[in-house]
Amino acid sequence: MRIAILGSGSLGSLYASLLSQVEGVELLIHGRGSHGAEMAAHGLHLEGMSTHFLSNEEVFFSLEEVGLPAHASGTIDFALLTGKAGQTTYLAELARQLLNDEGMALSLSNGLGHAEQCIEVLGPQRVFAATSTHGAWRPSPGVVHWAGKGKTVLGSLPGGPGETEAKPLLDVLLMAGLEPSWSSDGLATLWKKVLLNIAINPLAALAGVENGALLRPDLFSSAFSTMQEGAAIARIERVAIPDDVELEQQLRQVLTATATNICSMLQDIRAGRMTEISSLNQAIVLRGERAGIATPLNKMLVAMVNALHVG
Ligand code: PAF
C-alpha cells in the first residue's frame, strides 16, 4: 500500500514513523522547513512512548521547497493530510496530484471545515472524516516525541467512501499501533474532536502548561465549560454528540492520556507560528452568532490567543 503523509509536522511525523514499520507500506513523506530538511538529509527519530529511527533510505522524503517528485504522481492509495487547518486546501491539491484513480484522502487537522475543503478539491467520493488524539511534539528538527497514546477515528461523510473502502487503511493503522476505529457518523466524529481541542488547546497555550495540568480542578472546570459552549452549538446544528457526562469523561481521558504533551497551539505559539484558533474557538463563536447563542468563554479565549500574536 502506498501512503503519502502531506504536511509532516509533529503529528504527521509520528504517523510516518509508525506506519513505516508496517510491512508492505511504502511511504512518501512531504515536509518543509528545518524539520523537513533534517528528515530528508538524516532521517527521522521517534522518541517517547516508543523509539525508532527511520532512515532516508527506507522511505521517500520530499520537500515543500523542492516540490513533489514527478514519479509519484498518480501512484498513491491513501493521502493523509497532517498539516495545520489553514493548509488543507493546498495539501488537498497535492493529494489530487498524487492519488491514483481509486485513491482516497483524509485530513487529521484540528478544527471545523477541513473535511469540507478536502471535498471541494477531491470530491466527496474520495474523502473520509478523520481525527487523532495522539499527542506529539518536536523537540528539535528531525525528531518527534510521542507524548501520549490516543486514538485514530475514520468515519464516513455524506456521499463519501464507507468502512469497506477504509478497511485496508484501518488494518495498517492497527498494525502501526495508531489505535484506529470506524465511525458511521463522520460529522459527529469531527465535532467530538473539535470539542476537545477548543477545551484543551487555548487554555494550555495561554497557561503555558502541558495537557495534564488542565486536570487541576479550577482549570478543568474552565476547560469543560468552554467545551459545553461548543456542545450547545453542535446540538443546535443537530450533530449527534454525546451527553455532557460522556463529554466530561472524554475530556478527562484525553487529558490523562496526553498529560505530558505540549498541545499543538502551545507549540505554535512558542514557535511564533499562526495558531489554529480561527478553525477552533473562533469557528464556534461565529456559528454561535449565527444561531443567536452566546459563547463568551470561547470569545474571550479567541481574543487572548490572538493578542499573543499581536503583542
Ligand atoms: O492539538 C493537539 O495538541 C491534540 O489534538 C491533542 C489531542 C489535544 C493533544 O495535545
Side-chain angles (χ1 to χ4, degrees):
M1 179 187 297
R2 289 192 164 160
I3 300 179
I5 310 277
L6 302 174
S8 304
S10 304
L11 195 68
S13 299
L14 172 66
Y15 274 66
S17 176
L18 295 174
L19 284 168
S20 73
Q21 298 172 57
V22 179
E23 216 182 301
V25 169
E26 283 178 48
L27 282 182
L28 167 73
I29 303 169
H30 191 67
R32 65 175 182 175
S34 55
H35 182 61
E38 188 60 33
M39 288 194 293
H42 301 117
L44 171 66
H45 290 270
L46 172 69
E47 58 168 50
M49 312 279 307
S50 141
T51 53
H52 179 66
F53 173 64
L54 175 58
S55 125
N56 57 4
E57 284 163 18
E58 292 170 67
V59 296
F60 195 93
F61 287 103
S62 61
L63 286 176
E64 186 54 40
E65 293 79 357
V66 179
L68 288 175
H71 67 76
S73 289
T75 66
I76 297 293
D77 300 305
F78 291 100
L80 274 51
L81 279 59
T82 54
K84 294 285 167 198
Q87 296 176 285
T88 305
T89 300
Y90 174 68
L91 295 178
E93 292 287 355
L94 298 186
R96 191 149 59 104
Q97 291 175 44
L98 290 170
L99 289 174
N100 59 34
D101 289 347
E102 282 80 44
M104 280 164 274
L106 55 87
S107 159
L108 288 167
S109 299
N110 289 331
L112 290 169
H114 56 87
E116 289 83 347
Q117 287 165 28
C118 280
I119 286 171
E120 259 172 49
V121 177
L122 295 164
Q125 72 287 357
R126 314 185 89 179
V127 179
F128 295 107
T131 61
S132 170
T133 49
H134 288 279
W137 54 282
R138 277 174 290 150
S140 58
V143 184
V144 63
H145 185 97
W146 189 8
K149 229 180 203 208
K151 294 183 190 327
T152 310
V153 185
L154 265 55
S156 59
L157 292 165
E163 191 172 3
T164 311
E165 288 82 5
K167 178 85 171 63
L169 183 59
L170 288 167
D171 288 347
V172 158
L173 290 166
L174 184 68
M175 284 185 263
L178 284 156
E179 308 243 345
S181 61
W182 175 256
S183 153
S184 54
D185 187 346
L187 188 61
T189 300
L190 293 172
W191 266 94
K192 279 188 253 175
K193 177 70 196 314
V194 166
L195 295 178
L196 290 166
N197 285 121
I198 63 166
I200 299 172
N201 295 29
L203 274 179
L206 288 162
V209 293
E210 293 175 352
N211 291 355
L214 300 190
L215 287 163
R216 239 178 53 185
D218 50 351
L219 285 173
F220 186 83
S221 151
S222 303
F224 184 55
S225 302
T226 308
M227 190 183 209
Q228 281 177 303
E229 281 187 6
I233 307 298
R235 289 184 186 117
I236 219 82
E237 295 194 9
R238 297 182 187 277
V239 182
I241 55 159
D243 62 24
D244 279 3
V245 175
E246 199 180 320
L247 286 179
E248 186 177 348
Q249 277 168 4
Q250 286 176 4
L251 178 58
R252 206 175 283 283
Q253 187 262 320
V254 170
L255 288 173
T256 306
T258 64
T260 61
N261 196 42
I262 299 162
C263 78
S264 52
M265 196 171 284
L266 181 51
Q267 291 179 50
D268 288 341
I269 283 170
R270 285 186 175 162
R273 293 188 293 256
M274 289 294 292
T275 69
E276 294 181 310
I277 196 83
S278 62
S279 315
L280 293 170
N281 306 70
Q282 175 77 45
I284 295 295
V285 173
L286 292 176
R287 284 164 185 258
E289 281 169 2
R290 281 209 299 266
I293 297 177
T295 54
L297 292 174
N298 281 274
K299 201 168 186 168
M300 183 183 66
L301 290 169
V302 172
M304 290 177 78
V305 170
N306 282 335
L308 288 178
H309 288 297
V310 178

